Amino acid sequence: MYVAAALLCSVALSGCSHLHSKPPDKYVYVTAKQAFLVDRVAAVSNRTGEVKNGDKLVVVERARRWVQVRTPDGKIGWIREKETADQETAAQFEDLRVSHLKNPAVGDATVRDEALLHVAPGRETAFFFRLQEGDKLSLVERAMIAKPVAPGTAVAAAAAGDKDAPAVPPAPVMEDWWLVRDAKGDTGWIYSHLIDVDAPDTLTRYAEGQRIVGAYILSHVDDPDSGMVNNGQTVTSIPEYLTVLAPYKAGLPYDFDQVRVFTWNTKKHRYETAFREHNVAGYLPVTLAMKTDPYGKSQDASTPMPAFSYNVLAGDQSIPQSDPQTGLLTPGKTVTKTYRLEGNVCRRILAPGTTGPEEFHPVAEEKKDKSKKGKK
């Protein structure tokens, strides 16, 4: 009887142990470029392992400003908490990746120096992935936010007797941020000054003090005598480009204000401007396609040729303001303009007898604003 009771008790205890399942592991992710794990939190310690950016580590224990972790291969050690991101931050980056996975790239860029990907625009926002100099990026969308100002700057200037200190704080200085994807698909926000938009050197010389926002290949021209050399070999197939440009200024309420098409002159072996439009409030993306001209009268009208489309702010709209929370800029009504590259000439695809809707022109608006301020 005693044996039976003991067996019953043993079975009951065994069942209870199954009810108390092991709690799920908690993780942190390495944000440092690389870091060493140590065996103790002390001035003198021994290294137990090495981890790199993006590694997923199991949390074993926590101490003030330190986390004890276990690597996938079983190594255990302590790492500084500031060199890690928690699961919530990692989930936010995963949400960014998934939600923008199918968004088309509006341009390409290269990382200028080692940089961080942030979860939202802003220098103080959470970061995770690290990019290296020369990494290639796809640009997805732009945001603009106010540049951080040191607390009490205006107050300190006034207290110091600065006569030039403004009575009313000036408008904030804006800075641009780009949502980008790297070659691995990691997605996040990066400060615009840390990247260079990809554009061939043969075009940048024609930028005339403007910043090339995007350069897109429309077609190729065969020129055996081009004189263009790449990696020690003469280039015979020369690309012709559509470019969109903007001033070297952050916080603009449009992505570009100028459009130029560069075609190749096979006789003079150089680029020439085939199309140019300026003083527009243009918005990315730019789209490329092969199109016919349903309204054209020439024999080539029904032949598909390289074409491009872009959007500009409509004439009855006012300059849009960015969202103060996200920094994203959403223009109002826009006008889509489509052109076909026919040899060395760009022709707009429009129905006969039409001129297209009225458009907004930034320079005209700036003059209007200055006139209003002068009357005050």
Side-chain angles (χ1 to χ4, degrees), residues 109-132:
T110 302
V111 180
R112 185 181 299 173
D113 200 353
E114 184 176 323
L116 298 169
L117 283 186
H118 291 251
V119 74
R123 305 184 191 195
E124 302 302 321
T125 58
F127 58 86
F128 190 169
F129 301 107
R130 286 180 181 266
L131 303 174
Q132 303 305 310

Side-chain angles (χ1 to χ4, degrees), residues 15-134:
C16 289
S17 67
H18 285 296
L19 293 177
H20 296 284
S21 60
K22 179 184 176 183
D25 288 332
K26 293 185 178 181
Y27 300 94
V28 291
Y29 301 79
V30 181
T31 59
K33 183 178 180 179
Q34 63 180 32
F36 292 105
L37 304 182
V38 294
D39 61 351
R40 62 175 68 87
V41 181
V44 179
S45 59
N46 299 309
R47 294 176 180 177
T48 62
E50 184 178 356
V51 292
K52 62 183 185 303
N53 183 239
D55 283 354
K56 183 179 180 180
L57 309 174
V58 177
V59 175
V60 178
E61 188 180 346
R62 288 184 178 273
R64 185 183 180 188
R65 297 195 292 272
W66 288 79
V67 186
Q68 190 181 41
V69 296
R70 183 174 67 248
T71 65
D73 59 357
K75 295 177 181 176
I76 295 178
W78 292 89
I79 184 174
R80 287 183 177 84
E81 190 176 46
K82 68 179 182 180
E83 295 180 313
T84 66
D86 57 20
Q87 288 179 257
E88 182 181 355
T89 299
Q92 289 176 324
F93 274 93
E94 178 62 14
D95 288 343
L96 268 182
R97 187 189 69 80
V98 172
S99 60
H100 295 282
L101 189 62
K102 296 182 179 179
N103 288 31
V106 299
D108 299 306
T110 302
V111 180
R112 185 181 299 173
D113 200 353
E114 184 176 323
L116 298 169
L117 283 186
H118 291 251
V119 74
R123 305 184 191 195
E124 302 302 321
T125 58
F127 58 86
F128 190 169
F129 301 107
R130 286 180 181 266
L131 303 174
Q132 303 305 310
E133 179 182 354

Side-chain angles (χ1 to χ4, degrees), residues 263-281:
T263 54
W264 185 258
N265 187 318
T266 56
K267 293 182 179 179
K268 297 182 179 180
H269 312 296
R270 69 184 186 191
Y271 279 111
E272 294 181 347
T273 301
F275 171 82
R276 182 172 187 170
E277 183 174 43
H278 56 86
N279 193 22
V280 297

Side-chain angles (χ1 to χ4, degrees), residues 16 46 128 150-151 164 192 208 231 235 250 270 333 351 363 373:
C16 289
N46 299 309
F128 190 169
D164 297 326
S192 65
E208 298 177 353
N231 294 328
V235 179
R270 69 184 186 191
K333 185 172 64 176
V363 172
K373 291 179 181 177

